[in-house]
Amino acid sequence: MLKPLKKNVAIAIDGGGIRGLVVTKALSVLESHLGKPIHNFSQLAVGTSTGSIIAAGIGMGLSANKMTALYKKLGQSVFPTTLRKLLFPLSRYRYSDDPLKDALLTQFGSTQMGKFWDDQRPMDVVITAYDLLENRTRFIKPWKEEYQNWLVTKAVQASCTVPSYFPIVDNRFIDGGVGSYGNPCYVAAYEAQECLGWDPTETTLISIGTGRPPYAFRPDQAPKLWAWDWIAKALGVFQQSAYDQQVHLVETYFKDLDFRRFQIDLRENIEMDDVHQIDRLVAYGARLGRMILNDKYDWAQGIVIKQAENKNLNPFIASPRINLHKKSTHYFL
């Protein structure tokens, strides 16, 4: 059964396009069990790409059921089969961003990021986006002065702009998942403890993935891959290592945190724009929701660190010239 949640609750949601349906359906199962929307018991929501839509929706008080209905309704309009898509990669991108922009405006209107923080019930909503001009990940937050006047629509659209799928935002912003934060659980843990000052022993972090694609690869395949095959691998399967790495980082550096990572293994490869799989994604979401209620964590969580047995083989211990107490450079989120 679901363990009681701590005083402070944070939600972190991965990227994955239309596979965000897996998360919204899973959250609807959780909401039904708890008898209240996520917004009522979560004070921090962090999302990347499609996860930013859900994080912003939580911040706006939308129920998971409403967000599930939204994904179902918008799938075909956001990812239509058009001549542009059929001719890709002869075009710069597959889809117009107008349907997504219109849908976000309908849901979020002219709401600014600062509204989350200034509301009667303040909430921290963190959205990741990558800034091509400054070559860094942006962590768009309602309490940061530079982002308070950003429209929620702009922040979410920037985070959802997967390269080659949509035109870039303001000629500089693209999907936050192109960096290290396709799974933003580390961002959420850092935000909760270091920025909001939450006591980790009184904090629950629920991290939810949008489905792990199956992976089957034979040694004889590698020599036959063309350049575009490697690009597809880099944008898809290889990113899974980065997703799992974020889980390991949270477990390693936030040991007192009540960290719960939930992910479901897909039986088939469902692309981020495959709107023909909506019913199947909803079914996966229902299963993931039951996993959350049963505290059945992702297998990537709980990896045991193996210590080196012979200290003489460890150069950091053997060499007196290395200062182990010197603070390392850290990129503050």
Side-chain angles (χ1 to χ4, degrees):
M1 289 295 294
L2 180 69
K3 293 185 299 184
L5 302 176
K6 302 289 187 176
K7 172 185 175 182
N8 304 308
V9 178
I11 306 285
I13 305 163
D14 294 9
I18 194 63
R19 297 203 310 270
L21 259 171
V22 174
V23 177
T24 61
K25 182 60 181 178
L27 289 178
S28 72
V29 174
L30 178 60
E31 286 186 344
S32 179
H33 174 78
L34 296 174
K36 52 187 175 182
I38 304 296
H39 176 82
N40 285 20
F41 61 85
S42 173
Q43 304 86 39
L44 168 62
V46 183
T48 293
S49 197
T50 199
S52 72
I53 299 176
I54 302 170
I58 292 172
M60 294 289 286
L62 299 181
S63 70
N65 275 333
K66 186 169 183 178
M67 287 189 279
T68 297
L70 176 66
Y71 270 83
K72 288 181 178 180
K73 179 181 178 181
L74 292 177
Q76 295 286 353
S77 60
V78 173
F79 299 116
T81 300
T82 62
L83 185 61
R84 177 188 295 277
K85 178 182 178 181
L86 295 175
L87 291 177
F88 186 84
L90 298 179
S91 59
R92 289 189 175 91
Y93 48 86
R94 293 175 174 88
Y95 306 106
S96 167
D97 61 355
D98 289 335
L100 176 60
K101 186 186 300 183
D102 291 343
L104 295 176
L105 283 171
T106 299
Q107 293 300 319
F108 306 133
S110 59
T111 303
Q112 297 176 329
M113 286 295 297
K115 175 68 164 53
F116 293 125
W117 198 247
D118 295 334
D119 209 347
Q120 290 183 347
R121 183 182 180 278
M123 184 166 184
D124 194 2
V125 176
V126 183
I127 293 172
T128 68
Y130 197 84
D131 188 340
L132 293 170
L133 188 62
E134 298 187 9
N135 193 27
R136 67 182 178 96
T137 299
R138 294 269 195 152
F139 303 97
I140 304 166
K141 310 177 184 184
W143 55 267
K144 273 192 172 182
E145 186 175 353
E146 62 183 305
Y147 301 122
Q148 288 180 343
N149 293 329
W150 273 45
L151 293 180
V152 174
T153 296
K154 174 183 173 179
V156 171
Q157 186 181 359
S159 188
C160 289
T161 299
V162 181
S164 82
Y165 282 81
F166 299 107
I168 63 178
V169 175
D170 290 352
N171 297 325
R172 65 188 295 179
F173 300 115
I174 59 174
D175 184 4
V178 302
S180 301
Y181 306 105
N183 168 4
C185 63
Y186 177 80
V187 178
Y190 187 96
E191 184 77 7
Q193 181 172 307
E194 303 299 329
C195 298
L196 299 180
W198 289 358
D199 182 346
T201 64
E202 296 182 350
T203 301
T204 294
L205 169 56
I206 299 175
S207 168
I208 310 179
T210 57
R212 180 184 286 106
Y215 187 68
F217 194 83
R218 302 188 311 273
D220 62 302
Q221 289 179 282
K224 300 175 184 178
L225 294 178
W226 295 91
W228 50 84
D229 295 319
W230 285 109
I231 293 174
K233 291 288 184 186
L235 291 177
V237 179
F238 294 163
Q239 281 188 324
Q240 190 59 55
S241 295
Y243 282 41
D244 294 341
Q245 181 190 51
Q246 300 302 306
V247 175
H248 184 57
L249 286 172
V250 172
E251 290 191 296
T252 302
Y253 297 108
F254 298 90
K255 295 182 182 297
D256 295 329
L257 187 69
D258 174 24
F259 177 48
R260 312 180 192 185
R261 169 67 176 176
F262 299 100
Q263 177 67 292
I264 191 165
D265 293 324
L266 305 179
R267 295 193 182 98
E268 60 283 296
N269 188 34
I270 301 178
E271 299 293 341
M272 61 161 286
D273 59 346
D274 191 351
V275 295
H276 301 294
Q277 303 289 345
I278 284 179
D279 290 341
R280 188 165 292 175
L281 291 170
V282 171
Y284 275 121
R287 286 177 51 200
L288 183 58
R290 292 192 293 271
M291 291 168 64
I292 293 175
L293 297 186
N294 291 312
D295 280 321
K296 188 175 181 181
Y297 304 151
D298 181 21
W299 53 259
Q301 187 174 354
I303 296 175
V304 178
I305 299 175
K306 187 174 182 179
Q307 300 285 346
E309 296 180 0
N310 189 343
K311 69 177 183 179
N312 292 326
L313 297 179
N314 188 330
F316 294 102
I317 295 177
S319 174
R321 292 175 295 175
I322 297 177
N323 181 6
L324 296 179
H325 300 290
K326 182 180 180 181
K327 287 187 177 180
S328 61
T329 301
H330 188 88
Y331 186 84
F332 293 97
L333 302 180

